[in-house]
Each structure stands twice: as C-alpha cells, then as structure tokens.
Amino acid sequence: MHWYWYALILVVLLLAGAGLVVPRLRRRPGAPPAVPPAAPPVDPAAPPVGTPEPVAEPATAPAVETPEPTAGRLVRLRGRLARSQSLLGRGLLAVLSRDRLDEQAWEEIEETLISADVGVAATGEIVARLREQTRVEGTRTGTELRTMLSRELVAALEPGLDRSLRASPHDGYPAVVLVVGVNGSGKTTTCGKIARVLIADGHTVLLGAADTFRAAAAEQLTTWAARVGAEVVRGRAGGDPAAVAFDAVKRGRETGVDSVLIDTAGRLQNKVGLMDELRKVKRVVEKHGPVDETLLVLDATTGQNGLTQARVFTEVCDVTGVVLTKLDGTAKGGIVIAVQRELGLPVKLIGLGEGPDDLAPFVPEAFVDALLG
C-alpha cells in the first residue's frame, strides 16, 4: 500500500504547484498588440506605384513610296481632259458631221479652235487642211471624220519633236535639270512630281531647294523628296539661290545620283533683278558642267497670257522643254499647240490633277484621242 500513498502525495504536490503558477500568469500584463510597420513617405511627384513610366517610342521615318510607272499615264488620265473634250473634240465633230459644210460651218470650226487657245495661225492651217480633205475625199461618216480630224490635230502637235527628258548621267556625272517658272504656276509641286517621274523610270534623284525667297518652298520640296526617299540640299531662308544650286550639284556628284533636280525661285518675268538672279543660278551651276535640261512650268489656265511670260524665260535661260500644268482645269486644251508653235519648244509633261502621279509624259496621239473621246 506504500505506493498508493506515494502516488497520492505526488498528485497533491502537482496540484499545489499549478495553483501557485496560474495566478502569476493572470497577473502578468498582456503583450502590446502588434503594430504594423509604418509605410514609407510618399513623394507627390513620384508616379503611382505599379504604373509604368511612359516610354517615348522612337520616331519612324515615313514610308518610301513607289511611284506609278509613267508608261500609259496619259491613257489612264484621259478622263481628266473632259472639259477640253467637250469644247474642242465634240464641238468640232458636231460641226464636221453636218450634211452640208458651208461658210458658216467653217467659221464655227475656226471659232471653236480659237476658243480652245489653239492660236490664230495654227487655226488657219488646220481649217485649210480640213477643207481640202473634205473636198477631195468627200469624207462623210462619223468614223472617217474622226480619223481625219485626229490626223490633223496630231500633225499640229508635231509628233516628231524630241520629248524625252535629258536626265541620264553622262561622263560619270549626274544630269542637271533646272525647273523655272512664274509664281503660282505650281512650280515647286511640279518639281516634286518630276522627281517621281524620274524615279518611276529608274533614276536616282537629288533635289536642290534653290527657291530661298519663299519660306515654304524648301519645306514643300523636302516633303516631296521624303516620300520617295530622295535627298534634298537646302540653304537658309533668304540665302543665295545660286549657292544652294552649286552645293546641290556638288552633292549629287559626291553621292553618284543620276539626276540633280533644282527648283528655282518663282519669277515675275517683268522683274529684271529676279531674272538676273536666274541667269546667275545657271552660270554658277555650269561651273560644275553644263545644264542638261531647263524645264519651264506654265499654267494652262492662263491661256495666251502664259505665252508672254514664257518668251522672256526662253531668252534668259535656254529653255529646252515645257511642263504644262493644270490642264485638267481648263477647256482650252489647244494651248498645247499654241505653246509649241509660239515658243518652238516641245511640251514634255502635262499635269492632269493634284495627285502625286498625275504628271504624265506628253504623247500627241494619246492626247488627241482623249480630246476626241
């Protein structure tokens, strides 16, 4: 039984010890509640947490365009000659198809041709040949009349003239093309379009922005050049145009392009100082070598008035060809005949709209076909 007493004593001792410990635990002050760590100070200028910093995307160069082929452009754009077609082509065919061609009918034909700006001398020759052919051949059917009229108009446009652009390199150096014209003729725009014509035909081109007198001209030409990946040489606004032209040709030789196309300042043909400046540009450029082509830009809507302007330019800078712009905006398509006869120069390009590839090589047969509908 001794073990029983020993066990009882052990239990009593354990209970007594527990009674002493528990009150002490109850009297111990509780631990302070856990305090979350303080948030770091916020900088008001700093972006919100989790918001990515804006990243500037690198500037991308404009996509380089591929100009439309020049072959067949005039055929594609024939609808742009609707105004001239209505006055000149259909007007003449309507009179010629009458049962009887008396003096009054021939006078109407003359008036139609003169109204279309064909010119008095050219009109007289065309009417004389038409009279002779109708008398000898007795032409009467609509098809025969159209063929006869087409033949005479094409002949008046002198299809044998050389209308090619002299823009190919020679002797290891680029060809130099000057573009001249009066204010408002669309000269700088046309210069950009000529660059597209040359590139479409496989040439490499550098442009010279020598129209330093008009603030927007250099920017305008730069925009046209960027669209086809061409380089532009330009100077400061109001600077020496001849110096810009000289630097453009020099740069063209260094880079080995096929053609250097120089946009000159818009001129008023009665301003002697400006015309002298044009002489200087040509003289300075020729220190590098000859100017291969000088294209005169004329506004077709000015009609016979444009011929007065053109004559002065031919005396100053040896014009080799004419670019006739805005031909889609006039009913006087006969101005092509008058320009060639009066100036003795071929019309090489015609503008038939505001699109970048609406400048077409001039083809007499296709032009007349479009006029006659």
Side-chain angles (χ1 to χ4, degrees), residues 113-151:
L113 289 168
I114 292 173
S115 297
D117 269 345
V118 171
V120 176
T123 294
E125 294 178 10
I126 292 172
V127 170
R129 287 196 296 268
L130 287 174
R131 277 192 175 211
E132 180 65 16
Q133 288 188 43
T134 53
R135 184 184 65 82
V136 173
E137 300 177 13
T139 306
R140 274 283 154 291
T141 69
T143 301
E144 291 173 334
L145 288 171
R146 189 186 187 284
T147 300
M148 178 185 68
L149 182 56
S150 174
R151 184 170 58 243

Short mmCIF file of all heavy atoms in Angstrom, two decimals, residues 113-151:
data_model
loop_
_atom_site.label_atom_id
_atom_site.label_comp_id
_atom_site.label_asym_id
_atom_site.label_seq_id
_atom_site.Cartn_x
_atom_site.Cartn_y
_atom_site.Cartn_z
N LEU A 113 -11.77 76.39 -132.54
CA LEU A 113 -10.32 76.20 -132.36
C LEU A 113 -9.69 77.39 -131.64
O LEU A 113 -8.86 77.22 -130.75
CB LEU A 113 -9.66 76.01 -133.73
CG LEU A 113 -9.95 74.67 -134.43
CD1 LEU A 113 -9.47 74.71 -135.87
CD2 LEU A 113 -9.27 73.52 -133.67
N ILE A 114 -10.10 78.60 -132.00
CA ILE A 114 -9.53 79.79 -131.35
C ILE A 114 -9.97 79.86 -129.89
O ILE A 114 -9.18 80.22 -129.01
CB ILE A 114 -9.94 81.06 -132.13
CG1 ILE A 114 -9.24 81.08 -133.50
CG2 ILE A 114 -9.59 82.31 -131.34
CD1 ILE A 114 -9.70 82.20 -134.41
N SER A 115 -11.22 79.48 -129.62
CA SER A 115 -11.71 79.48 -128.23
C SER A 115 -10.94 78.49 -127.37
O SER A 115 -10.81 78.68 -126.16
CB SER A 115 -13.20 79.13 -128.19
OG SER A 115 -13.96 80.11 -128.87
N ALA A 116 -10.43 77.45 -127.99
CA ALA A 116 -9.65 76.45 -127.25
C ALA A 116 -8.18 76.83 -127.17
O ALA A 116 -7.34 76.02 -126.76
CB ALA A 116 -9.79 75.09 -127.92
N ASP A 117 -7.84 78.08 -127.53
CA ASP A 117 -6.47 78.61 -127.44
C ASP A 117 -5.48 77.93 -128.37
O ASP A 117 -4.29 77.88 -128.10
CB ASP A 117 -5.94 78.53 -126.00
CG ASP A 117 -6.25 79.79 -125.21
OD1 ASP A 117 -6.60 80.80 -125.84
OD2 ASP A 117 -6.15 79.77 -123.97
N VAL A 118 -5.98 77.42 -129.50
CA VAL A 118 -5.08 76.83 -130.48
C VAL A 118 -4.18 77.90 -131.10
O VAL A 118 -3.02 77.64 -131.44
CB VAL A 118 -5.87 76.09 -131.57
CG1 VAL A 118 -4.97 75.66 -132.72
CG2 VAL A 118 -6.58 74.89 -130.96
N GLY A 119 -4.69 79.12 -131.21
CA GLY A 119 -3.93 80.19 -131.83
C GLY A 119 -4.43 80.46 -133.24
O GLY A 119 -4.89 79.55 -133.93
N VAL A 120 -4.32 81.73 -133.66
CA VAL A 120 -4.89 82.14 -134.95
C VAL A 120 -4.17 81.47 -136.11
O VAL A 120 -4.81 80.92 -137.03
CB VAL A 120 -4.84 83.67 -135.09
CG1 VAL A 120 -5.32 84.08 -136.48
CG2 VAL A 120 -5.67 84.34 -134.01
N ALA A 121 -2.85 81.49 -136.09
CA ALA A 121 -2.10 80.94 -137.22
C ALA A 121 -2.34 79.43 -137.35
O ALA A 121 -2.61 78.94 -138.46
CB ALA A 121 -0.61 81.22 -137.03
N ALA A 122 -2.25 78.72 -136.24
CA ALA A 122 -2.47 77.28 -136.29
C ALA A 122 -3.89 76.95 -136.71
O ALA A 122 -4.13 76.00 -137.46
CB ALA A 122 -2.16 76.65 -134.93
N THR A 123 -4.84 77.74 -136.24
CA THR A 123 -6.25 77.53 -136.61
C THR A 123 -6.43 77.64 -138.12
O THR A 123 -7.11 76.81 -138.75
CB THR A 123 -7.16 78.54 -135.89
OG1 THR A 123 -7.12 78.27 -134.49
CG2 THR A 123 -8.59 78.44 -136.39
N GLY A 124 -5.84 78.67 -138.70
CA GLY A 124 -5.94 78.87 -140.15
C GLY A 124 -5.41 77.68 -140.92
O GLY A 124 -6.03 77.22 -141.91
N GLU A 125 -4.28 77.13 -140.48
CA GLU A 125 -3.69 75.99 -141.18
C GLU A 125 -4.55 74.73 -141.04
O GLU A 125 -4.74 73.99 -142.00
CB GLU A 125 -2.29 75.73 -140.64
CG GLU A 125 -1.29 76.85 -140.94
CD GLU A 125 0.06 76.58 -140.35
OE1 GLU A 125 0.29 75.44 -139.87
OE2 GLU A 125 0.90 77.50 -140.33
N ILE A 126 -5.06 74.49 -139.84
CA ILE A 126 -5.88 73.30 -139.61
C ILE A 126 -7.16 73.35 -140.43
O ILE A 126 -7.55 72.37 -141.08
CB ILE A 126 -6.21 73.15 -138.11
CG1 ILE A 126 -4.94 72.84 -137.31
CG2 ILE A 126 -7.26 72.07 -137.88
CD1 ILE A 126 -5.13 72.88 -135.80
N VAL A 127 -7.80 74.52 -140.45
CA VAL A 127 -9.05 74.66 -141.20
C VAL A 127 -8.80 74.49 -142.68
O VAL A 127 -9.59 73.84 -143.40
CB VAL A 127 -9.70 76.03 -140.90
CG1 VAL A 127 -10.87 76.29 -141.87
CG2 VAL A 127 -10.20 76.06 -139.46
N ALA A 128 -7.71 75.05 -143.19
CA ALA A 128 -7.40 74.92 -144.62
C ALA A 128 -7.22 73.46 -145.01
O ALA A 128 -7.73 73.01 -146.05
CB ALA A 128 -6.14 75.72 -144.94
N ARG A 129 -6.52 72.69 -144.16
CA ARG A 129 -6.30 71.28 -144.49
C ARG A 129 -7.59 70.48 -144.37
O ARG A 129 -7.85 69.57 -145.19
CB ARG A 129 -5.21 70.69 -143.57
CG ARG A 129 -3.80 71.19 -143.90
CD ARG A 129 -2.76 70.30 -143.26
NE ARG A 129 -2.82 70.35 -141.79
CZ ARG A 129 -2.11 71.20 -141.05
NH1 ARG A 129 -1.29 72.08 -141.64
NH2 ARG A 129 -2.21 71.19 -139.74
N LEU A 130 -8.42 70.80 -143.41
CA LEU A 130 -9.70 70.10 -143.28
C LEU A 130 -10.60 70.37 -144.48
O LEU A 130 -11.28 69.46 -145.00
CB LEU A 130 -10.41 70.53 -141.98
CG LEU A 130 -9.83 70.01 -140.67
CD1 LEU A 130 -10.54 70.64 -139.49
CD2 LEU A 130 -9.96 68.48 -140.60
N ARG A 131 -10.62 71.59 -144.93
CA ARG A 131 -11.42 71.95 -146.11
C ARG A 131 -10.98 71.14 -147.32
O ARG A 131 -11.80 70.60 -148.07
CB ARG A 131 -11.27 73.44 -146.40
CG ARG A 131 -12.17 74.33 -145.58
CD ARG A 131 -12.15 75.73 -146.17
NE ARG A 131 -13.07 76.62 -145.52
CZ ARG A 131 -13.69 77.62 -146.13
NH1 ARG A 131 -13.48 77.85 -147.43
NH2 ARG A 131 -14.52 78.41 -145.48
N GLU A 132 -9.66 71.08 -147.51
CA GLU A 132 -9.13 70.39 -148.68
C GLU A 132 -9.46 68.90 -148.63
O GLU A 132 -9.87 68.30 -149.64
CB GLU A 132 -7.61 70.59 -148.74
CG GLU A 132 -6.92 69.91 -149.91
CD GLU A 132 -7.35 70.49 -151.25
OE1 GLU A 132 -7.93 71.61 -151.28
OE2 GLU A 132 -7.11 69.83 -152.27
N GLN A 133 -9.32 68.29 -147.44
CA GLN A 133 -9.57 66.86 -147.33
C GLN A 133 -11.05 66.52 -147.52
O GLN A 133 -11.38 65.53 -148.18
CB GLN A 133 -9.09 66.35 -145.97
CG GLN A 133 -7.57 66.31 -145.86
CD GLN A 133 -7.11 65.61 -144.59
OE1 GLN A 133 -7.66 64.57 -144.22
NE2 GLN A 133 -6.12 66.18 -143.94
N THR A 134 -11.93 67.33 -146.96
CA THR A 134 -13.36 67.05 -147.13
C THR A 134 -13.77 67.24 -148.60
O THR A 134 -14.67 66.56 -149.10
CB THR A 134 -14.21 67.96 -146.24
OG1 THR A 134 -13.87 69.33 -146.47
CG2 THR A 134 -13.99 67.63 -144.78
N ARG A 135 -13.12 68.16 -149.29
CA ARG A 135 -13.45 68.40 -150.69
C ARG A 135 -12.94 67.26 -151.56
O ARG A 135 -13.66 66.74 -152.43
CB ARG A 135 -12.83 69.72 -151.16
CG ARG A 135 -13.20 70.11 -152.60
CD ARG A 135 -12.48 71.37 -153.02
NE ARG A 135 -11.03 71.16 -153.08
CZ ARG A 135 -10.41 70.60 -154.13
NH1 ARG A 135 -11.10 70.17 -155.17
NH2 ARG A 135 -9.10 70.46 -154.11
N VAL A 136 -11.68 66.84 -151.32
CA VAL A 136 -11.07 65.82 -152.16
C VAL A 136 -11.62 64.42 -151.83
O VAL A 136 -11.97 63.65 -152.73
CB VAL A 136 -9.54 65.83 -152.02
CG1 VAL A 136 -8.91 64.65 -152.76
CG2 VAL A 136 -8.98 67.15 -152.54
N GLU A 137 -11.68 64.11 -150.54
CA GLU A 137 -12.05 62.75 -150.13
C GLU A 137 -13.55 62.57 -149.99
O GLU A 137 -14.04 61.43 -149.92
CB GLU A 137 -11.36 62.40 -148.81
CG GLU A 137 -9.83 62.46 -148.89
CD GLU A 137 -9.19 62.20 -147.55
OE1 GLU A 137 -9.89 61.73 -146.63
OE2 GLU A 137 -7.98 62.47 -147.41
N GLY A 138 -14.28 63.67 -149.89
CA GLY A 138 -15.72 63.55 -149.71
C GLY A 138 -16.06 62.82 -148.42
O GLY A 138 -17.02 62.05 -148.36
N THR A 139 -15.26 63.04 -147.39
CA THR A 139 -15.44 62.33 -146.12
C THR A 139 -16.78 62.68 -145.51
O THR A 139 -17.15 63.84 -145.39
CB THR A 139 -14.31 62.71 -145.15
OG1 THR A 139 -13.06 62.46 -145.80
CG2 THR A 139 -14.39 61.90 -143.88
N ARG A 140 -17.49 61.63 -145.04
CA ARG A 140 -18.81 61.91 -144.51
C ARG A 140 -19.16 61.10 -143.25
O ARG A 140 -19.81 61.61 -142.36
CB ARG A 140 -19.86 61.60 -145.59
CG ARG A 140 -20.07 62.82 -146.51
CD ARG A 140 -20.91 63.81 -145.79
NE ARG A 140 -20.91 65.19 -146.03
CZ ARG A 140 -19.99 66.08 -145.79
NH1 ARG A 140 -18.81 65.74 -145.42
NH2 ARG A 140 -20.19 67.36 -145.91
N THR A 141 -18.76 59.84 -143.15
CA THR A 141 -19.16 59.03 -141.99
C THR A 141 -18.47 59.55 -140.72
O THR A 141 -17.40 60.18 -140.78
CB THR A 141 -18.79 57.55 -142.18
OG1 THR A 141 -17.37 57.41 -142.14
CG2 THR A 141 -19.32 57.03 -143.50
N GLY A 142 -19.09 59.24 -139.58
CA GLY A 142 -18.54 59.70 -138.31
C GLY A 142 -17.14 59.17 -138.06
O GLY A 142 -16.27 59.90 -137.60
N THR A 143 -16.91 57.92 -138.41
CA THR A 143 -15.58 57.33 -138.20
C THR A 143 -14.54 58.00 -139.08
O THR A 143 -13.42 58.31 -138.64
CB THR A 143 -15.62 55.82 -138.51
OG1 THR A 143 -16.57 55.20 -137.66
CG2 THR A 143 -14.26 55.19 -138.30
N GLU A 144 -14.91 58.28 -140.33
CA GLU A 144 -13.97 58.94 -141.25
C GLU A 144 -13.67 60.36 -140.80
O GLU A 144 -12.52 60.81 -140.86
CB GLU A 144 -14.56 58.94 -142.67
CG GLU A 144 -14.63 57.56 -143.31
CD GLU A 144 -15.37 57.60 -144.62
OE1 GLU A 144 -16.23 58.49 -144.81
OE2 GLU A 144 -15.11 56.72 -145.46
N LEU A 145 -14.70 61.07 -140.34
CA LEU A 145 -14.48 62.43 -139.86
C LEU A 145 -13.56 62.46 -138.64
O LEU A 145 -12.68 63.30 -138.53
CB LEU A 145 -15.83 63.08 -139.52
CG LEU A 145 -16.72 63.45 -140.71
CD1 LEU A 145 -18.10 63.87 -140.21
CD2 LEU A 145 -16.08 64.60 -141.50
N ARG A 146 -13.79 61.53 -137.73
CA ARG A 146 -12.94 61.49 -136.53
C ARG A 146 -11.50 61.18 -136.90
O ARG A 146 -10.57 61.78 -136.35
CB ARG A 146 -13.47 60.42 -135.56
CG ARG A 146 -12.79 60.44 -134.19
CD ARG A 146 -13.24 59.28 -133.33
NE ARG A 146 -12.72 59.38 -131.98
CZ ARG A 146 -11.46 59.10 -131.63
NH1 ARG A 146 -10.60 58.73 -132.56
NH2 ARG A 146 -11.08 59.22 -130.37
N THR A 147 -11.30 60.25 -137.82
CA THR A 147 -9.94 59.90 -138.26
C THR A 147 -9.26 61.09 -138.90
O THR A 147 -8.08 61.38 -138.64
CB THR A 147 -9.99 58.72 -139.24
OG1 THR A 147 -10.59 57.59 -138.60
CG2 THR A 147 -8.60 58.35 -139.71
N MET A 148 -9.99 61.79 -139.76
CA MET A 148 -9.43 62.97 -140.44
C MET A 148 -9.06 64.06 -139.44
O MET A 148 -7.95 64.62 -139.49
CB MET A 148 -10.45 63.50 -141.44
CG MET A 148 -9.99 64.76 -142.17
SD MET A 148 -11.30 65.41 -143.24
CE MET A 148 -12.50 65.95 -142.00
N LEU A 149 -9.96 64.36 -138.49
CA LEU A 149 -9.70 65.40 -137.50
C LEU A 149 -8.54 65.01 -136.59
O LEU A 149 -7.68 65.84 -136.27
CB LEU A 149 -10.96 65.65 -136.67
CG LEU A 149 -10.88 66.75 -135.62
CD1 LEU A 149 -10.48 68.07 -136.25
CD2 LEU A 149 -12.20 66.87 -134.88
N SER A 150 -8.51 63.74 -136.21
CA SER A 150 -7.41 63.26 -135.37
C SER A 150 -6.07 63.43 -136.07
O SER A 150 -5.09 63.89 -135.47
CB SER A 150 -7.63 61.78 -135.03
OG SER A 150 -6.54 61.26 -134.34
N ARG A 151 -6.04 63.09 -137.35
CA ARG A 151 -4.80 63.20 -138.11
C ARG A 151 -4.30 64.64 -138.16
O ARG A 151 -3.11 64.91 -137.99
CB ARG A 151 -5.03 62.66 -139.53
CG ARG A 151 -3.78 62.62 -140.39
CD ARG A 151 -4.02 61.85 -141.67
NE ARG A 151 -5.10 62.41 -142.47
CZ ARG A 151 -6.23 61.78 -142.76
NH1 ARG A 151 -6.43 60.54 -142.31
NH2 ARG A 151 -7.16 62.34 -143.50
#
